[in-house]
Amino acid sequence: MTPEVLTILMFGILIAAIALGHPLAATLAATATLIGLIDNGFNVPALFDLITNNNWGVFLNYTLVSIPLFIFMAQVLDRAKVSEELFEALYVILGGLRGGLGLAVIVVSTVFAATTGIVGASVVAMSLMAGPALLKRGYDKPMSAGIITSSGTLGILIPPSIMLVVYAGLTGLKETSVGNLFAAAILPGLLLSGFYLAYVGIRCALNLKLGPPIPKEERTATFGQKCFMFVKSLVPPFGLILAVMGTILAGVATPTEAAALGATGALVLALFKRTFTWEMIKGASLSTARTTCMVMALFIGGKVFSVVFLSMGGGDVVADTLLGMDFHPYMVLFLMNLVVFILGMFIDWAAILLVVVPIFTPIAMELDFNPLWFAMIICVNLQTSFLTPPFGYSLFYFKGAAPPEYTIGDVYKGIIPFIGLQLLCVICLVIWPDIITYLPSVFFGE
Amino acid sequence: MQNISRAIDALNEKTGLYSSYLILPLVGVVIYEVFVRYVFNAPTSWGFELTVFLYGMHYMLGLGDAHRTDTHVCIDIFEARMQPRNRTILRIITNVVIFIPTMGCMAIWSVKYAITSWGMLEHASSSWSPAIYPYKAVMAVGFILFFLAGVSKLLKDFHALRSSK
């Protein structure tokens, strides 16, 4: 069979097989196995020698070492309950404003996104903490659901970020090293957070019903008390941000080392917070292993898929088709992002990255796109995969952890404007590439 | 049959639990490496490789347990709407068609890979030059455990199907 037929067959089978509900990692590997065997004339030993060699390559991939470390850090932090204190402080400080609690949720999520690299724990924590609070204060339910899910999801973009580590581990390019990607993601992450803040602030200022302020008689804290609470609650997260992002950007530590420093910092914090018990360590270790295995299983399955796909010439088929139509480069960029966005409705970020990055990166190079810029466009776009119905992880995390008064309809309705803001952010990054490239050039030079 | 499935699950649970603690030495080794490099200006020759081995063992040995606890990502939007009996049948089919052959072959070939490495007592070509063959064996064990977790699910689904009649 020609590579063209095999390419269509491979994606057709993959999509059909995914819908059957079997774990994605195995489905990716099985689809690749079938197509690989058709391609090489059913030479089983040759294919599995290739696959096993590849699995060993994943075992030795130093870039990915930071994944379990960042996950462990997030799990310990989650159990140390540091985000609660900051939320309580901001609840008091911003509660008097229209939509103030919504703004508080976004600020807390942004700060903690800068200490964790995963999404699950932060969305669950925010849903448990802010879900009931916003409900009690009479905030609009769809908007509250949108605020919590979308800002909780910032953790996957704002560095440190597992998504960026996986991207770096996948491409192995110097331009898209973990350090460069982390530096590049800071401004886009803050821009997105700023969009959320502006949107919630403006909507609530115009419509009192969406986010009513806390009544005057309940606002008893003095200005001094507020300042104290705020500063006290910001010390732990900023210490961690300094330990992790500070050391990476200053070039003092590799991302893996910074992750270990962060994990140690989180343990020290737990010690201060008196949540450091053997049970806590045990629970954090086990959750870390499960989440790590989930990501790594996808890495193994996705790697098998892309190795087979590329070795049978599928990459050239996609590249020739896309480039052969002689579109404007931005049109090709748009099409690639459209694919990522649509895939994001159904499958999660790791599987998408593993399938599309090996295919798209050569195309982006062909079009002379800056690899770092291209990576960041894809990654900001990928954030939507957590939020787009029918299958968005953050929506499920929220639904599972927030009070039952929030219906799935509220969640779907509330998330739409925030998805719009993310796409707006992608457009801004296309128009002003400096948002992405400025910080990497400051910290690491060109 | 249920005894086999229970034994597999117990094995995976224990392995998953103990291997999850590998995260602690992983943190320790990296921190130690940073410490000796900056404080004593004497980086170790083994820190880098040991870190990679710990990370590899950490996830390889947990794959089976993650499968046992249904942690691996799957798209169950259609599956969740099916009748329990039909869902069980679908699960058996996908398991037999997708999981068992692919993961079975991956397990077999990683065992072969490990045996080859043991045969020549393979060492890494670095200054520390650690033995590699034990880690290739760990990878093989990891894939076997993952495969067994799938077998256990299959046995449980068969049992559920039979008792639902």
Side-chain angles (χ1 to χ4, degrees), chain A residues 334-345 347 352-353 356 360 377-379 381-385 388:
Chain A
F334 171 77
L335 288 175
M336 290 195 271
N337 275 285
L338 188 67
V339 169
V340 169
F341 184 78
I342 292 173
L343 285 175
M345 292 179 177
I347 55 180
I352 299 174
L353 273 189
V356 307
F360 285 173
I377 303 271
I378 294 285
C379 288
N381 188 358
L382 257 184
Q383 266 228 134
T384 59
S385 75
T388 38

mmCIF file of all heavy atoms in Angstrom, chain A residues 334-345 347 352-353 356 360 377-379 381-385 388:
data_model
loop_
_atom_site.group_PDB
_atom_site.id
_atom_site.type_symbol
_atom_site.label_atom_id
_atom_site.label_comp_id
_atom_site.label_asym_id
_atom_site.label_seq_id
_atom_site.Cartn_x
_atom_site.Cartn_y
_atom_site.Cartn_z
ATOM 1 N N PHE A 334 -2.997 28.022 10.633
ATOM 2 C CA PHE A 334 -4.385 27.965 11.064
ATOM 3 C C PHE A 334 -4.919 26.533 10.981
ATOM 4 O O PHE A 334 -5.545 26.034 11.917
ATOM 5 C CB PHE A 334 -5.251 28.909 10.210
ATOM 6 C CG PHE A 334 -6.721 28.744 10.438
ATOM 7 C CD1 PHE A 334 -7.323 29.275 11.571
ATOM 8 C CD2 PHE A 334 -7.508 28.034 9.534
ATOM 9 C CE1 PHE A 334 -8.674 29.105 11.794
ATOM 10 C CE2 PHE A 334 -8.862 27.866 9.758
ATOM 11 C CZ PHE A 334 -9.451 28.393 10.888
ATOM 12 N N LEU A 335 -4.626 25.860 9.869
ATOM 13 C CA LEU A 335 -5.118 24.491 9.697
ATOM 14 C C LEU A 335 -4.540 23.567 10.766
ATOM 15 O O LEU A 335 -5.247 22.742 11.338
ATOM 16 C CB LEU A 335 -4.768 23.965 8.301
ATOM 17 C CG LEU A 335 -5.568 24.571 7.155
ATOM 18 C CD1 LEU A 335 -5.045 24.068 5.818
ATOM 19 C CD2 LEU A 335 -7.055 24.239 7.295
ATOM 20 N N MET A 336 -3.242 23.742 11.040
ATOM 21 C CA MET A 336 -2.618 22.887 12.054
ATOM 22 C C MET A 336 -3.271 23.126 13.417
ATOM 23 O O MET A 336 -3.541 22.196 14.166
ATOM 24 C CB MET A 336 -1.110 23.155 12.119
ATOM 25 C CG MET A 336 -0.370 22.661 10.887
ATOM 26 S SD MET A 336 1.416 22.571 11.132
ATOM 27 C CE MET A 336 1.922 24.191 10.657
ATOM 28 N N ASN A 337 -3.550 24.395 13.715
ATOM 29 C CA ASN A 337 -4.174 24.705 14.997
ATOM 30 C C ASN A 337 -5.615 24.226 15.064
ATOM 31 O O ASN A 337 -6.101 23.849 16.124
ATOM 32 C CB ASN A 337 -4.100 26.198 15.281
ATOM 33 C CG ASN A 337 -2.791 26.564 15.927
ATOM 34 O OD1 ASN A 337 -2.585 26.298 17.091
ATOM 35 N ND2 ASN A 337 -1.884 27.112 15.145
ATOM 36 N N LEU A 338 -6.271 24.257 13.912
ATOM 37 C CA LEU A 338 -7.643 23.752 13.862
ATOM 38 C C LEU A 338 -7.654 22.255 14.214
ATOM 39 O O LEU A 338 -8.500 21.788 14.987
ATOM 40 C CB LEU A 338 -8.219 23.976 12.462
ATOM 41 C CG LEU A 338 -9.705 23.671 12.310
ATOM 42 C CD1 LEU A 338 -10.530 24.665 13.109
ATOM 43 C CD2 LEU A 338 -10.116 23.718 10.837
ATOM 44 N N VAL A 339 -6.675 21.528 13.665
ATOM 45 C CA VAL A 339 -6.576 20.092 13.971
ATOM 46 C C VAL A 339 -6.377 19.897 15.473
ATOM 47 O O VAL A 339 -7.053 19.089 16.109
ATOM 48 C CB VAL A 339 -5.409 19.450 13.176
ATOM 49 C CG1 VAL A 339 -5.127 18.045 13.669
ATOM 50 C CG2 VAL A 339 -5.726 19.447 11.690
ATOM 51 N N VAL A 340 -5.451 20.684 16.046
ATOM 52 C CA VAL A 340 -5.180 20.562 17.474
ATOM 53 C C VAL A 340 -6.441 20.872 18.289
ATOM 54 O O VAL A 340 -6.790 20.160 19.232
ATOM 55 C CB VAL A 340 -4.028 21.512 17.885
ATOM 56 C CG1 VAL A 340 -3.904 21.596 19.394
ATOM 57 C CG2 VAL A 340 -2.728 21.048 17.274
ATOM 58 N N PHE A 341 -7.150 21.918 17.884
ATOM 59 C CA PHE A 341 -8.348 22.334 18.622
ATOM 60 C C PHE A 341 -9.428 21.251 18.574
ATOM 61 O O PHE A 341 -10.028 20.901 19.582
ATOM 62 C CB PHE A 341 -8.887 23.646 18.041
ATOM 63 C CG PHE A 341 -10.057 24.197 18.789
ATOM 64 C CD1 PHE A 341 -9.883 24.880 19.992
ATOM 65 C CD2 PHE A 341 -11.357 24.016 18.319
ATOM 66 C CE1 PHE A 341 -10.964 25.374 20.699
ATOM 67 C CE2 PHE A 341 -12.443 24.506 19.014
ATOM 68 C CZ PHE A 341 -12.245 25.191 20.206
ATOM 69 N N ILE A 342 -9.636 20.701 17.376
ATOM 70 C CA ILE A 342 -10.680 19.679 17.231
ATOM 71 C C ILE A 342 -10.293 18.403 17.980
ATOM 72 O O ILE A 342 -11.107 17.814 18.692
ATOM 73 C CB ILE A 342 -10.961 19.397 15.738
ATOM 74 C CG1 ILE A 342 -11.624 20.639 15.125
ATOM 75 C CG2 ILE A 342 -11.867 18.176 15.568
ATOM 76 C CD1 ILE A 342 -11.809 20.575 13.638
ATOM 77 N N LEU A 343 -9.022 18.007 17.862
ATOM 78 C CA LEU A 343 -8.572 16.833 18.614
ATOM 79 C C LEU A 343 -8.782 17.055 20.111
ATOM 80 O O LEU A 343 -9.120 16.140 20.853
ATOM 81 C CB LEU A 343 -7.096 16.547 18.337
ATOM 82 C CG LEU A 343 -6.743 15.919 16.992
ATOM 83 C CD1 LEU A 343 -5.233 15.817 16.850
ATOM 84 C CD2 LEU A 343 -7.370 14.538 16.863
ATOM 85 N N GLY A 344 -8.593 18.314 20.530
ATOM 86 C CA GLY A 344 -8.713 18.649 21.944
ATOM 87 C C GLY A 344 -10.105 18.441 22.503
ATOM 88 O O GLY A 344 -10.282 18.338 23.711
ATOM 89 N N MET A 345 -11.077 18.411 21.639
ATOM 90 C CA MET A 345 -12.433 18.151 22.128
ATOM 91 C C MET A 345 -12.561 16.708 22.593
ATOM 92 O O MET A 345 -13.432 16.394 23.392
ATOM 93 C CB MET A 345 -13.452 18.401 21.018
ATOM 94 C CG MET A 345 -13.570 19.855 20.635
ATOM 95 S SD MET A 345 -14.751 20.011 19.310
ATOM 96 C CE MET A 345 -14.764 21.790 19.128
ATOM 97 N N ILE A 347 -9.515 14.157 22.799
ATOM 98 C CA ILE A 347 -8.415 13.504 23.509
ATOM 99 C C ILE A 347 -7.580 14.526 24.267
ATOM 100 O O ILE A 347 -7.696 15.716 24.036
ATOM 101 C CB ILE A 347 -7.533 12.627 22.587
ATOM 102 C CG1 ILE A 347 -7.005 13.409 21.405
ATOM 103 C CG2 ILE A 347 -8.317 11.434 22.098
ATOM 104 C CD1 ILE A 347 -6.145 12.574 20.480
ATOM 105 N N ILE A 352 -2.329 14.346 22.130
ATOM 106 C CA ILE A 352 -2.299 15.250 20.975
ATOM 107 C C ILE A 352 -0.860 15.650 20.659
ATOM 108 O O ILE A 352 -0.411 15.576 19.517
ATOM 109 C CB ILE A 352 -3.146 16.507 21.235
ATOM 110 C CG1 ILE A 352 -4.601 16.106 21.488
ATOM 111 C CG2 ILE A 352 -3.070 17.465 20.054
ATOM 112 C CD1 ILE A 352 -5.482 17.254 21.884
ATOM 113 N N LEU A 353 -0.135 16.064 21.709
ATOM 114 C CA LEU A 353 1.260 16.468 21.489
ATOM 115 C C LEU A 353 2.037 15.347 20.833
ATOM 116 O O LEU A 353 2.762 15.556 19.858
ATOM 117 C CB LEU A 353 1.935 16.804 22.820
ATOM 118 C CG LEU A 353 1.827 18.211 23.373
ATOM 119 C CD1 LEU A 353 2.745 18.354 24.562
ATOM 120 C CD2 LEU A 353 2.191 19.237 22.318
ATOM 121 N N VAL A 356 0.766 14.890 17.110
ATOM 122 C CA VAL A 356 0.911 15.961 16.109
ATOM 123 C C VAL A 356 2.297 16.609 16.060
ATOM 124 O O VAL A 356 2.731 17.016 14.985
ATOM 125 C CB VAL A 356 -0.167 17.066 16.237
ATOM 126 C CG1 VAL A 356 -1.544 16.476 16.241
ATOM 127 C CG2 VAL A 356 0.067 17.954 17.429
ATOM 128 N N PHE A 360 3.984 17.882 12.759
ATOM 129 C CA PHE A 360 3.899 19.308 12.444
ATOM 130 C C PHE A 360 5.248 20.032 12.498
ATOM 131 O O PHE A 360 5.455 20.999 11.772
ATOM 132 C CB PHE A 360 2.922 20.005 13.404
ATOM 133 C CG PHE A 360 1.472 19.720 13.085
ATOM 134 C CD1 PHE A 360 0.464 20.160 13.939
ATOM 135 C CD2 PHE A 360 1.106 19.038 11.933
ATOM 136 C CE1 PHE A 360 -0.868 19.907 13.655
ATOM 137 C CE2 PHE A 360 -0.223 18.778 11.649
ATOM 138 C CZ PHE A 360 -1.212 19.214 12.510
ATOM 139 N N ILE A 377 2.418 28.610 20.385
ATOM 140 C CA ILE A 377 1.088 28.728 19.788
ATOM 141 C C ILE A 377 0.319 27.417 19.999
ATOM 142 O O ILE A 377 -0.838 27.403 20.440
ATOM 143 C CB ILE A 377 1.187 29.004 18.263
ATOM 144 C CG1 ILE A 377 1.999 30.248 17.985
ATOM 145 C CG2 ILE A 377 -0.196 29.035 17.618
ATOM 146 C CD1 ILE A 377 1.249 31.510 17.941
ATOM 147 N N ILE A 378 0.993 26.318 19.688
ATOM 148 C CA ILE A 378 0.360 25.003 19.837
ATOM 149 C C ILE A 378 -0.010 24.761 21.304
ATOM 150 O O ILE A 378 -1.103 24.291 21.626
ATOM 151 C CB ILE A 378 1.315 23.881 19.342
ATOM 152 C CG1 ILE A 378 1.552 24.005 17.839
ATOM 153 C CG2 ILE A 378 0.768 22.499 19.686
ATOM 154 C CD1 ILE A 378 0.400 23.561 16.964
ATOM 155 N N CYS A 379 0.895 25.120 22.218
ATOM 156 C CA CYS A 379 0.657 24.825 23.628
ATOM 157 C C CYS A 379 -0.466 25.674 24.214
ATOM 158 O O CYS A 379 -1.269 25.181 25.014
ATOM 159 C CB CYS A 379 1.938 24.999 24.438
ATOM 160 S SG CYS A 379 3.114 23.676 24.100
ATOM 161 N N ASN A 381 -2.953 26.871 22.529
ATOM 162 C CA ASN A 381 -4.126 26.272 21.916
ATOM 163 C C ASN A 381 -4.507 24.975 22.629
ATOM 164 O O ASN A 381 -5.688 24.696 22.867
ATOM 165 C CB ASN A 381 -3.823 26.012 20.433
ATOM 166 C CG ASN A 381 -5.050 25.572 19.664
ATOM 167 O OD1 ASN A 381 -6.125 25.418 20.222
ATOM 168 N ND2 ASN A 381 -4.893 25.348 18.386
ATOM 169 N N LEU A 382 -3.490 24.204 23.005
ATOM 170 C CA LEU A 382 -3.744 22.916 23.653
ATOM 171 C C LEU A 382 -4.432 23.057 25.006
ATOM 172 O O LEU A 382 -5.082 22.136 25.473
ATOM 173 C CB LEU A 382 -2.431 22.177 23.870
ATOM 174 C CG LEU A 382 -2.120 21.049 22.909
ATOM 175 C CD1 LEU A 382 -0.850 20.369 23.336
ATOM 176 C CD2 LEU A 382 -3.245 20.045 22.845
ATOM 177 N N GLN A 383 -4.254 24.231 25.627
ATOM 178 C CA GLN A 383 -4.948 24.457 26.901
ATOM 179 C C GLN A 383 -6.443 24.232 26.740
ATOM 180 O O GLN A 383 -7.119 23.818 27.673
ATOM 181 C CB GLN A 383 -4.726 25.913 27.334
ATOM 182 C CG GLN A 383 -3.604 26.112 28.249
ATOM 183 C CD GLN A 383 -4.047 26.962 29.426
ATOM 184 O OE1 GLN A 383 -3.742 26.632 30.546
ATOM 185 N NE2 GLN A 383 -4.764 28.021 29.210
ATOM 186 N N THR A 384 -6.961 24.548 25.542
ATOM 187 C CA THR A 384 -8.400 24.398 25.342
ATOM 188 C C THR A 384 -8.820 22.935 25.441
ATOM 189 O O THR A 384 -9.983 22.658 25.703
ATOM 190 C CB THR A 384 -8.836 24.927 23.963
ATOM 191 O OG1 THR A 384 -8.135 24.205 22.956
ATOM 192 C CG2 THR A 384 -8.568 26.403 23.822
ATOM 193 N N SER A 385 -7.865 21.998 25.242
ATOM 194 C CA SER A 385 -8.256 20.585 25.279
ATOM 195 C C SER A 385 -8.784 20.191 26.653
ATOM 196 O O SER A 385 -9.504 19.216 26.787
ATOM 197 C CB SER A 385 -7.081 19.695 24.875
ATOM 198 O OG SER A 385 -6.142 19.627 25.921
ATOM 199 N N THR A 388 -12.682 22.096 26.321
ATOM 200 C CA THR A 388 -13.689 21.973 25.282
ATOM 201 C C THR A 388 -14.561 20.740 25.496
ATOM 202 O O THR A 388 -14.041 19.637 25.635
ATOM 203 C CB THR A 388 -13.044 21.884 23.877
ATOM 204 O OG1 THR A 388 -11.858 21.096 23.977
ATOM 205 C CG2 THR A 388 -12.707 23.255 23.342
#
